[in-house]
Amino acid sequence: MRLALPRWTGPLAVKAAVFITVMCCGLAALLGVLVHVSVTNRTVGQARDAALSRLGEATESYEAGDPLRRGARIDPAGLPRPLRELAASGRRGTMLAEYAGRPTMWAAGPADGGRVLAVRVDHSQGQATIDGLDGTLVWSSALAIGATLLVGAFAVTRVTRRLHTTARVARRISAGDLDARVGDPRAQHPTRPQDEVASVAAALDSMASSLQGKLLAEQRFTADVAHELRTPLTGLHAAAELLPPGRPTELVRDRVAALRTLTEDLLEISRLESGRERPATEPEELGALVRRVLRGSGTDTRVDVVRDARVETDRRRLERVLGNLVANAHRHGRAPVVLTVDGAVITVRDHGDGYPEYLLAHGPQRFRTEGGTKGHGLGLTIALGQAEVLGARLEFTNPPGGGALARLTLPQQP
């Protein structure tokens, strides 16, 4: 089972700061231990040598019958037991211990009669040196860690800021703004040192330019084809009107009408994708507008006005959106089809099999329909484009009760 980390640990700057802090603390601890051990060994060694030297002098004085110097005693009361036993066995030794509340270096050796001759050397100065060194190591390590953390955070923040800029541009491109570019200075000047962030930014800019060129070429091709088809279709429509009445004539006229509708839809999509469409807004009562749309559609659609609203919108474009949604509900769904007005929110729901998964995940796609149904798949694409021109939000969902639900949320008026 993988341990779930808190959300705040996600950013790269936090991870870098934690990594730098851990590494600095580990390095400072290692160096501190090495310096502490080295200085402690040297200080204690000097104290041990001094104690053994004084023990040698005291032994000579004791054997010559001279009085012992200060700090030298026979069987002193404060001598540590392990050192006393070592000296009683006939060997010399030293030991660092507490005596009268002060650190003391003891040195002891054998004397006649099974007694012990011992000297003590005050080790307070040496211990103070070690304690002072430890404090200096702690403070210097803390300052070094803080300075390293600040410098590292500054360097990492510069990188993460560039990454955030690249991510924002990528989101703008995915939202349809193909003019967005990162423009990383390192990528724009080849003479400057290149890093991985500059490579990613350059690749994103190159991808956006290539994608923009391909989409513009596709839009021009679609618009050109639609424009070129209008002239022969007009002639074909006029010729079909001159045919004698009959079933073949009806079939020809029906196909010509479908082809003209497809051509007009392609032209409308080309205008929407150009980004130059602007709404001509005027006050509209939504209740009256949706009833007018349903009368024009000739479909059996129920209208529920929960809360009527008066909005500033482009009537022609809004009628186009609602007409396409209602037509799609009747063509691909099942009755009853209900159009509901609740303030600035309009929903169209049918009770069929619901929207396909690709549409819920990626939105409407041109020339794609589900299950071999009739139509060329442009109705919802046009509805979505016109909704964007209106500044509205069009969402497609499959409600829990079944069917398909399209929700159009018009912009709130001041």
Side-chain angles (χ1 to χ4, degrees):
M1 181 177 179
R2 186 176 180 181
L3 180 63
L5 296 177
R7 184 179 295 273
W8 60 266
T9 61
L12 180 61
V14 175
K15 294 179 180 179
V18 171
F19 176 77
I20 293 173
T21 303
V22 171
M23 292 301 296
C24 288
C25 289
L27 183 60
L30 178 61
L31 293 177
V33 168
L34 292 177
V35 173
H36 173 82
V37 170
S38 177
V39 173
T40 300
N41 289 339
R42 186 174 68 251
T43 304
V44 173
Q46 292 174 354
R48 181 177 291 111
D49 293 340
L52 289 174
S53 177
R54 292 183 61 179
L55 177 63
E57 295 175 356
T59 301
E60 292 177 357
S61 299
Y62 178 76
E63 292 175 350
D66 297 332
L68 297 177
R69 296 182 179 181
R70 182 180 179 182
R73 294 287 186 276
I74 296 295
D75 292 332
L79 184 65
R81 180 181 295 275
L83 186 58
R84 182 185 298 275
E85 294 175 354
L86 179 66
S89 66
R91 291 178 293 174
R92 289 186 175 188
T94 59
M95 186 174 182
L96 183 63
E98 290 285 334
Y99 179 76
R102 300 169 67 88
T104 302
M105 178 63 70
W106 289 91
D112 57 352
R115 295 181 298 175
V116 174
L117 175 62
V119 297
R120 66 176 185 273
V121 177
D122 187 18
H123 190 60
S124 299
Q125 186 64 37
Q127 189 63 45
T129 301
I130 295 174
D131 293 341
L133 175 65
D134 291 342
T136 302
L137 287 175
V138 171
W139 283 107
S140 61
S141 298
L143 291 176
I145 291 172
T148 305
L149 187 59
L150 289 176
V151 174
F154 174 74
V156 173
T157 302
R158 292 189 63 186
V159 175
T160 55
R161 187 184 300 116
R162 294 165 62 197
L163 288 175
H164 284 309
T165 301
T166 304
R168 278 197 305 271
V169 172
R171 286 191 290 267
R172 288 174 56 190
I173 293 173
S174 64
D177 184 7
L178 297 182
D179 292 325
R181 297 292 184 273
V182 179
D184 192 282
R186 293 178 180 267
Q188 293 178 345
H189 298 85
T191 57
R192 298 185 62 178
Q194 300 294 305
D195 57 9
E196 289 77 4
V197 180
S199 299
V200 172
L204 181 62
D205 289 347
S206 177
M207 181 198 71
S209 299
S210 176
L211 182 62
Q212 185 179 35
K214 292 179 179 179
L215 289 179
L216 290 176
E218 178 187 349
Q219 292 173 7
R220 284 194 298 268
F221 174 77
T222 303
D224 292 343
V225 169
H227 277 291
E228 293 297 327
L229 285 176
R230 296 184 77 176
T231 300
L233 279 176
T234 301
L236 188 60
H237 177 73
E241 294 296 328
L242 298 177
L243 293 175
R247 181 59 180 167
T249 299
E250 293 178 0
L251 292 176
V252 171
R253 290 175 179 174
D254 178 70
R255 293 300 87 197
V256 170
L259 192 55
R260 291 186 66 183
T261 301
L262 174 59
T263 303
E264 294 300 326
D265 287 347
L266 289 175
L267 285 173
E268 185 172 358
I269 287 178
S270 298
R271 291 193 297 269
L272 292 173
E273 290 181 342
S274 68
R276 293 189 293 268
E277 292 289 283
R278 295 293 180 269
T281 59
E282 58 184 11
E284 293 288 343
E285 297 286 345
L286 289 182
L289 186 145
V290 299
R291 291 188 179 93
R292 186 165 59 247
V293 170
L294 295 184
R295 285 196 300 269
S297 67
T299 59
D300 183 17
T301 303
R302 193 177 78 209
V303 179
D304 289 341
V305 180
V306 178
R307 181 167 53 93
D308 203 352
R310 184 178 179 85
V311 298
E312 288 280 343
T313 187
D314 189 321
R315 177 180 57 82
R316 179 184 64 83
R317 297 182 189 278
L318 183 56
E319 289 178 350
R320 178 68 161 154
V321 173
L322 297 178
N324 283 11
L325 294 178
V326 170
N328 182 81
H330 283 280
R331 183 179 296 115
H332 301 290
R334 286 192 296 271
V337 176
V338 183
L339 191 153
T340 304
V341 178
D342 187 1
V345 179
I346 304 174
T347 59
V348 177
R349 178 177 180 179
D350 64 64
H351 293 77
D353 298 329
Y355 291 116
E357 291 298 328
Y358 80 86
L359 190 146
L360 296 177
H362 306 290
Q365 300 180 20
R366 289 179 288 175
F367 302 108
R368 180 170 181 177
T369 57
E370 193 72 9
T373 54
K374 295 181 179 179
H376 44 70
L378 297 180
L380 294 183
T381 304
I382 293 175
L384 184 61
Q386 293 289 10
E388 291 177 353
V389 174
L390 292 174
R393 184 173 70 255
L394 182 57
E395 302 169 297
F396 303 95
T397 58
N398 290 333
L405 177 68
R407 178 181 290 104
L408 179 69
T409 305
L410 295 172
Q412 297 294 328
Q413 304 301 319

